[in-house]
Amino acid sequence: MSQNSLRILQVVSSSATSGAERHALHLAKYLSEQGHHVEVICPESGFFADHIQELGVRAYPRQMRKYGYLQTIAFMRRMMREQKVDVVHTHLTRATYLGFLAGQMTKTPVVASVHVANHDNIYRLMARGRNRLIAVSSFVRGVLHGRGVPDRFIDVVYNGTDFHDFAPGDKTAVYSELQIPAERRLVGLVGRVCREKGQLLAVEAMPKLLSAHPEAHMMFVGRIEPEFEQELQEAIDDHGVRNRITLTGNRADVAQLIDACEFTAMPSQMETFGLAAIEAMARSRPVVASRVGGLTEVVLHEETGLLIDRTPEALAGAMNTMLDSPIRRQEMGDSGRRLVEEKFTMRQMISGLQGVYRKALAHSG
């Protein structure tokens, strides 16, 4: 380890397949590549536990509920002292409670990434001493400030993507694998398939889109939440669009799937940042997005995409505009890629996070 390297303990309390867990995986990988010693405490099973081992990062699967909660705090306290951990970096609420308590016991600074518009009191309690809070957008910073967290404890560090580094995908191969007719024009929705992400709104908008563009076809890329699946399938049948929507489930080749799309859509009820938006922009694809939360900091209206109100009519209208205007669509896609390269790369995210770690360590408390 170099003189400037840090011993970083990441704590992740969820093993779902969503933005926070993917973000923590990326951090473990890229911080290790920067020469830091990174170890992770995570749940015993699920998406994160399955993938962290592939990165060669040492992980400690632990129970984080009921009696396991107290045992994990004791384990963390012992580990932090024995390994002389410099900083603890937590993701999501339960992990932040664990990190805060263990940090108080060992006098170790804790940095908590706030991925959602969370109103839990832990974030206000965290704002003391050398601890820091990382907001993934200015929107989240405002939410934290509104909950009584002083601005001096909050840093905004945008998420990053490496999607701009991937080789171009093969559209023909994607269409062939997913059995999408060659004449169709593909619109992608990337993210968990659940009520909050807006797939139902997209299904409602589909007949209006097809009336103007009968060649349109939608692709939902992501895991379907089990409690949502029946409602979604019924909506698809009710609107008569069964043969115009493809559900891919979880995929490891998301960048290549985006390349097969004309553009992507994010008709979400709320997004604190919009990782799927910058991933699409990194592939030179514009984004149709709800005018909510942190999305307005990522999708610049009529520059990198179109912002809409959450109605089927507004969504269908924006999608029609995209399919009607290939030159404008390409211009917005090119602008989106430039914006990602300026603000939303992994390198910039890691640089920002390292700055927060140094700030925590330099603070006298």
Side-chain angles (χ1 to χ4, degrees), residues 159-165 275 278-279 282 340 344-347:
N159 289 333
T161 181
D162 57 2
F163 272 27
H164 55 290
D165 292 332
L275 182 61
I278 65 168
E279 290 176 342
V340 167
F344 302 120
T345 64
M346 285 291 181
R347 178 182 56 79

Side-chain angles (χ1 to χ4, degrees), residues 350-364:
I350 295 300
S351 176
L353 289 171
Q354 289 178 126
V356 176
Y357 296 157
R358 302 293 180 193
K359 191 183 293 186
L361 290 166
H363 184 54
S364 64

Side-chain angles (χ1 to χ4, degrees), residues 266-279:
M266 290 188 71
S268 307
Q269 293 179 6
M270 175 51 64
E271 292 285 349
T272 51
F273 174 68
L275 182 61
I278 65 168
E279 290 176 342

Side-chain angles (χ1 to χ4, degrees), residues 12 73 97 101 135 145 151 165 206-207 211 262 275 289 359 362:
V12 183
I73 292 174
Y97 273 105
L101 292 170
H145 185 62
D151 271 341
D165 292 332
M206 193 62 182
S211 67
E262 306 283 330
L275 182 61
K359 191 183 293 186

Side-chain angles (χ1 to χ4, degrees), residues 70-212:
L70 297 176
Q71 293 171 353
T72 297
I73 292 174
F75 175 81
M76 288 173 61
R77 180 182 61 186
R78 184 172 64 253
M79 176 186 175
M80 289 156 67
R81 285 176 172 160
E82 290 175 355
Q83 299 197 21
K84 295 181 172 57
V85 169
D86 292 305
V87 64
V88 178
H89 188 165
T90 68
H91 303 270
L92 302 170
T93 302
R94 188 175 296 273
T96 302
Y97 273 105
L98 290 166
F100 173 71
L101 292 170
Q104 290 290 105
M105 294 173 185
T106 59
K107 295 183 169 52
T108 305
V110 180
V111 172
S113 280
V114 186
H115 299 275
V116 298
N118 197 306
H119 299 293
D120 198 285
N121 282 332
I122 185 57
Y123 298 107
R124 185 170 50 80
L125 292 172
M126 267 277 298
R128 65 180 67 191
R130 297 189 294 165
N131 297 339
R132 308 293 306 171
L133 294 163
I134 296 176
V136 297
S137 63
S138 294
F139 168 75
V140 171
R141 181 176 194 151
V143 170
L144 290 170
H145 185 62
R147 291 292 295 173
V149 179
D151 271 341
R152 68 182 182 275
F153 288 96
I154 309 171
D155 299 281
V156 176
V157 178
Y158 287 124
N159 289 333
T161 181
D162 57 2
F163 272 27
H164 55 290
D165 292 332
F166 297 171
D170 184 342
K171 176 179 176 179
T172 302
V174 170
Y175 273 55
S176 176
E177 180 198 345
L178 299 177
Q179 299 182 344
I180 298 171
E183 69 276 7
R184 300 278 171 87
R185 298 175 70 189
L186 203 51
V187 178
L189 279 77
V190 179
R192 283 181 303 121
V193 181
C194 60
R195 175 170 284 278
E196 296 78 27
K197 294 296 183 181
Q199 286 88 0
L200 279 181
L201 191 70
V203 171
E204 291 180 54
M206 193 62 182
K208 298 178 179 63
L209 177 62
L210 288 170
S211 67

Side-chain angles (χ1 to χ4, degrees), residues 1 7 9-10 34 47 61 79 87 112 146 150 158 188 234 268 283 296 313-314 318 347 363:
M1 290 174 63
R7 300 188 73 89
L9 175 63
Q10 284 203 91
Q34 290 288 312
F47 169 80
M79 176 186 175
V87 64
Y158 287 124
E234 289 175 355
S268 307
R283 306 307 295 174
T296 61
E313 294 76 18
R347 178 182 56 79
H363 184 54

Side-chain angles (χ1 to χ4, degrees), residues 14-15 46 53 86 114 171 208-209 213 215 225 233 238 248 290 298-299 317 344 351 360:
S14 167
S15 210
Q53 305 289 353
D86 292 305
V114 186
K171 176 179 176 179
K208 298 178 179 63
L209 177 62
H213 287 280
E215 76 283 9
E225 292 194 348
Q233 297 291 0
D238 289 347
T248 72
S290 305
V298 176
V299 180
F344 302 120
S351 176

